[in-house]
Amino acid sequence: LASNAGRRTLKVDREQAPILPGGSPLAATGSGPYGRWAWMVAASLLLLLYASWVRGGTAERYQGPFVWIGIAILALTFLRRGNAAVFSGGGSLFKDPVLYAGGLFLLYLGIQWCNAGRYPFFNPVDKCWEYTHPQVAWLPSAFSRREAGEMLTWFFPALALVLGIRNGMPSVRHVRMLLTVMAANGAILALLGIAQYFSGTGKMFWLWEIKGAIFFSSFGYANHAGAFFTLMFCLSAGLCVQRLYSRAPLLMDRGTALLLLATLLNLAGATFSLSRVGTLTAWVAGIGMTGYAVARGWKRLTPANRANMAAAIVGIAVFFFFVIAGTNGGTVLKEMASLRRLPSPDITENIRYRLFAA
C-alpha cells in the first residue's frame, strides 16, 4: 500500500493481475468476473490438449468436440463486458482485425465446401484422367465435400482460440501459463512416442494398430508429429531462455530446469518421429537458439559458468548423437540420408496414376 495525498491505492503488477473491463488491473479482493476467466482458460487448455492427444486432430471421428469447444470459447469472448483485451490493443472484439480476416477465410472455406463434389473420370479422347467441373465454375471449389468440411472443423476452433487469447484472457500471465502447459504437454507426448519407438510396438498407445503409415506418439503420420514437436521444441526453448535471463544473477532454478528438460524431450520427439524435414528443421532451429542463448548471456556469465555452459552443450550434443546413431540400427540417420535420393520419374508417374484412379 502506497500513501498518495492522503489516499491509499493498491499497486498491482499488470502482468500478474487479471484485467478488468476498461483495461484496469483487478486487485486480489475476490471481486470481478474471475469465474469467467477461469472458464476461458479451462476451455482454451481443453482444446489445445484434446487436439494433440487424438491423432493430432486428423482423425475425423474425434473432431466433433473441436467445434463445440470453439463455440464455447467464442461465447466466453463475446460475453465479456467492456475492453479486457490483452493483445488487441485494448479495443473491443469487433475492432480486432483478426476477427474480420479470419471470418473472410472461414467464408472462403464455406463456399469451397458448398461448391464441392468433383469426381475423377477417364477422358477417352485425351486418354487421361480428369476431374469434373464444379457446380459454379467461378467460385472456390473442392473435390471432396467431406474433406472440405474438415477444413472448417479445424480452422473455426483455431480462430476462436486466437480471438479468445487476444480479447478474452485475464492477463499476460495466463497466456504464458497456456504456453507453458503446451510445452509440458509436448514433452509428455514426446516421452510417450520415445517409449513406443524403443518398444517396437506397431500399435498407438499399445492399443490401436496403425497400418500403412509410420506413427509416432499420438500422431498417425510421421510428418504431422515432426511439425508438432518442432513447434513445441521452439516454444519450450524460448520459454526456457526467457525464464533463465529474466533473473539477475542467472539462476538455474527448478522451473528453468523443467523447461530445459521439456526442450530436450521435444527435440527428441522431433528427431525420433522419423520426419526428415521436421528433424532437420528442429536441429537447425536448435543450433540457432543455442547460439542466441550463449550470445545473450555470455557477458553476464563468470568464466566458470561459461565453461559449464560449453561443456553442457557439447555433452548434450554428443549424447544425442550416440543415442540416434546407436538405436534401432541407426534408423534416424538412415532416414535423414534418404533426403539425397529423389524418386525416379517412373515411380512419380505411378503414384500420380494411383491417386487419380482412387
Side-chain angles (χ1 to χ4, degrees), residues 153-296:
T153 305
W154 288 342
F155 286 103
F156 166 72
L159 175 62
L161 180 62
V162 171
L163 291 173
I165 291 174
R166 285 175 57 84
N167 297 278
M169 277 292 161
S171 71
V172 177
R173 179 173 63 90
H174 290 80
V175 179
R176 184 176 292 117
M177 182 193 71
L178 286 179
L179 298 177
T180 304
V181 172
M182 288 173 62
N185 178 63
I188 295 172
L189 284 171
L191 199 59
L192 169 67
I194 293 169
Q196 292 177 156
Y197 176 84
F198 283 106
S199 70
T201 182
K203 297 180 178 180
M204 183 178 291
F205 303 122
W206 293 277
L207 296 173
W208 298 291
E209 188 171 358
I210 305 297
K211 296 181 179 180
I214 299 176
F215 75 93
F216 184 80
S217 188
S218 63
F219 297 85
Y221 182 50
N223 286 336
H224 293 166
F228 174 82
F229 288 111
T230 298
L231 288 172
M232 292 303 102
F233 163 67
C234 294
L235 172 62
S236 53
L239 290 172
C240 181
V241 172
Q242 188 275 335
R243 182 181 177 90
L244 177 64
Y245 290 121
S246 64
R247 290 165 169 76
L250 300 184
L251 179 65
M252 178 64 75
D253 60 356
R254 183 175 63 179
T256 308
L258 289 174
L259 283 171
L260 178 60
L261 177 61
T263 301
L264 296 177
L265 285 173
N266 283 313
L267 177 60
T271 303
F272 288 105
S273 68
L274 299 184
S275 168
R276 293 170 293 184
V277 175
T279 301
L280 185 63
T281 304
W283 279 95
V284 170
I287 293 172
M289 289 181 182
T290 302
Y292 168 77
V294 171
R296 180 176 174 180

